[in-house]
Amino acid sequence: MINTEISNNKIGGKRKNLDSSNAIENIIGFIILLLTVLIGNAFLKTDMLFFRLLIGLALGYTLTRAYSGFAGSINRAYATGSTKLMRTLMFMFFISAFATSAFLYNSDPTSYNLWVNPINLGLILGGLLFGFGMTFSACCASGVLTDLITGLPRALITLIFFSLGIFVGFPIQKTASFVTNSWVVSSTGKELSGGVFLPDLFKWDGLQGYLGALLLIGLFCLIVVSIAYKYERYRKRNDSYTQHPTEKLQDEYLIEDSSNYSLFSKESYNKLFIKPWTLKQGAVVITLLFVILMGVTKAGWGASTPYGIWFGKFLMNFGISADSISEFTKMPSDVFNLPFFEHPITVQNVGIIIGTAIYLFTAGIFKKMFTSELNITGKQFLLFALGGLTMGLGTRLANGCNVGALYTPIANFSLSGWVFLIFMVSGGIIGNTFAKKMDSK
């Protein structure tokens, strides 16, 4: 996702700047897309890996074109007062759960790899740490991939320490009872990862619990939206609200003049390949991609675990054996011996990076975005490292990141996702408060 503290200069400031597309960049973007599809189809070992690549391309493209993500839901609200992204996420959570119910109704939920995570101290601490880290790195597990294109130094430093945090956290995730054992368990949750599967609470509703679960999720979403609106009104009354620049840009593009429409025109190209998608459009596309993932893989969207595996594979270059790494991490040695492009989530993550580049090239703004954050200070280096490390460790305590502990669990009817949300937001508030005090010194 784009850095939530993105400036007007970085995105071009005004609509006309985005319309001035670079023809060379446009061509490069389509070449990258074509080559990625051809090379992926020819050299990836299985059709499923190729599928993962395509899903990654679509996710990266969507997150970038919609100027969307998860970290911004807190950072953007704290910095500008705008809660539009948080409210949009609630919309996405509900329609994703609604769509997921089509797979689960009249079927055995345990036949799917549902992320019904444990509810415990690890989830609470992990949410706090993850929210805290998002403040300093301005991204999350999926956002760090898109930001490798739009904010390379920040994202690369974050990713390195994110990977370290996950690697160090692997043995805690696998062995610590405060991470593995759940305080509360439902009947279906017991057969999965030990958490609470919301339909288990409403077996009497006439629809195997899914009607009651969807109504409860809808209620949770409405509560969050209500709080978000109240917070935004508070900021406006105190004259501390400023519309986020990307949201302003998206609003400007809602106004269209189709009086002189022509398929083969600059205006048509702008609409098809440059015009930013609204946050809701992005949410709908991500939901569709999530549904396709569920249908094909019987599992949701994950991103962070491969980072720890990458760190282990990096250590193997210095003569450390996979068995030694396995002994430390409590992970199977096979995951560290597996070739890089044979791990499905790794391929999907690479696709996210390429998908980001494809949008920026086809929109003619790659150079502008890529060069916007190339210079950082020593203080920023330390803060990005801190952000990455705390997020990485947080994912192991919470059994996932913003997609693995928040989005996918909520879409999979897990109560744990809502618990993670509460403490992730709390961690984000603590982190932003801490960062503000540091800046004032």
Side-chain angles (χ1 to χ4, degrees), residues 115 141-142 145 301-307 310 345 348-349 352 401 403-404:
W115 295 8
S142 56
L145 300 172
W301 178 15
S304 60
T305 298
Y307 302 161
W310 297 352
I345 310 301
Q348 187 171 289
N349 284 347
I352 291 175
C401 58
V403 290

Side-chain angles (χ1 to χ4, degrees), residues 55-106:
I55 287 291
L57 289 175
L59 286 170
Y61 185 92
T62 302
L63 288 168
T64 308
R65 186 163 183 176
Y67 292 96
S68 186
F70 297 92
S73 62
I74 303 170
N75 294 344
R76 190 178 294 190
Y78 192 93
T80 70
S82 173
T83 61
K84 189 174 183 179
L85 179 54
M86 177 63 82
R87 301 194 309 268
T88 303
L89 290 179
M90 293 305 107
F91 166 74
M92 185 176 77
F93 291 169
F94 181 78
I95 62 174
S96 296
F98 184 83
T100 300
S101 66
F103 293 106
L104 302 181
Y105 181 71
N106 265 343

Side-chain angles (χ1 to χ4, degrees), residues 15 29 50 75 108 121 133 144 165 241 275 303 312 382 396 399 404 416:
R15 174 176 172 170
F50 182 57
N75 294 344
D108 179 8
L121 181 61
V144 73
Y241 174 89
K275 173 185 175 183
L382 294 175
R396 297 311 92 192
N399 289 295
S416 66

Side-chain angles (χ1 to χ4, degrees), residues 19-27 269 274 361-365 367:
D19 286 341
S20 304
S21 57
N22 183 315
I24 295 177
E25 287 197 4
N26 299 157
I27 295 171
Y269 185 89
I274 298 178
F361 272 115
T362 55
I365 56 175
K367 181 179 179 181

Side-chain angles (χ1 to χ4, degrees), residues 18 38 51 92 127 168 190 201-202 344 361 370 385:
L18 274 183
L38 291 177
F51 167 78
M92 185 176 77
V168 171
K190 185 177 182 180
L201 308 180
F202 302 95
F361 272 115
F370 184 78

